[in-house]
Amino acid sequence: MSHPKSTIRKKPPKQLAVIDVDRCTGCEACIEVCPVDCIDRIRPDAGATSFQRFCEINWDRCIGCKLCIRLPAKKSNPYELLVCPWDAISMVPAADLPEAVARIGGPPHYAAEHRPRLEAMARRQAESLPGSSALPG
Ligand code: SF4
Ligand code: SF4
């Protein structure tokens, strides 16, 4: 898939957005606002029912801007505009991403199909932080 809004990050962000799969409905509201197109709705896998849809964040490209959580308030409208209707997104320190993946939730078929890939991506982020002593693995 091409990502017209994609950017090359100059350095890894300190925090990255993580979606709680147990809360996500795949509504795509977060996809609409992400400035770098790093959120995708993932293909339902073999075990999914037609009601199960999830979105996923590509941490290799997330810039940690938090726009998928809340849009900045304007002077004319001081109320915060929350993006995710299900409060499914939180910011996690990049160093803690591998632990966050373990708590990401989702039904067993989701975990079986997607977690190994997410774990590898999370490790990559943690290891790319300045001063990281983690060994590639
Ligand atoms: S924090 Fe910003 S870059 Fe990362 S997923 Fe959310 S909107 Fe996209
Ligand atoms: S806005 Fe929330 S519920 Fe909708 S796709 Fe994004 S994370 Fe899932």
Side-chain angles (χ1 to χ4, degrees):
M1 178 189 284
S2 71
H3 293 279
K5 289 190 279 184
S6 68
T7 58
I8 296 175
R9 293 188 312 206
K10 293 194 174 73
K11 56 182 180 179
K14 291 195 176 105
Q15 293 196 320
L16 295 160
V18 175
I19 294 177
D20 180 335
V21 180
D22 286 332
R23 287 172 176 254
C24 178
T25 62
C27 72
E28 301 190 15
C30 53
I31 293 179
E32 294 297 320
V33 300
C34 177
V36 296
D37 267 352
C38 73
I39 310 177
D40 288 311
R41 200 168 85 176
I42 56 170
R43 245 179 335 108
D45 50 60
T49 70
S50 56
F51 299 107
Q52 290 179 314
R53 305 209 180 281
F54 312 112
C55 279
E56 188 174 285
I57 294 173
N58 181 334
W59 296 313
D60 288 333
R61 301 180 11 177
C62 174
I63 56 173
C65 68
K66 303 184 188 170
L67 288 177
C68 54
I69 296 178
R70 61 179 67 82
L71 297 175
K74 294 180 182 165
K75 272 192 182 157
S76 55
N77 178 7
Y79 297 104
E80 271 190 339
L81 184 56
L82 298 179
V83 174
C84 176
W86 302 103
D87 197 19
I89 309 179
S90 53
M91 299 305 293
V92 170
D96 297 344
L97 211 50
E99 286 169 41
V101 171
R103 299 190 302 269
I104 213 162
H109 58 80
Y110 173 89
E113 177 152 339
H114 299 286
R115 194 169 288 173
R117 179 174 49 80
L118 293 173
E119 285 171 348
M121 186 161 43
R123 265 202 314 273
R124 207 159 51 236
Q125 293 308 314
E127 289 165 5
S128 70
L129 292 170
S132 166
S133 59
L135 294 171

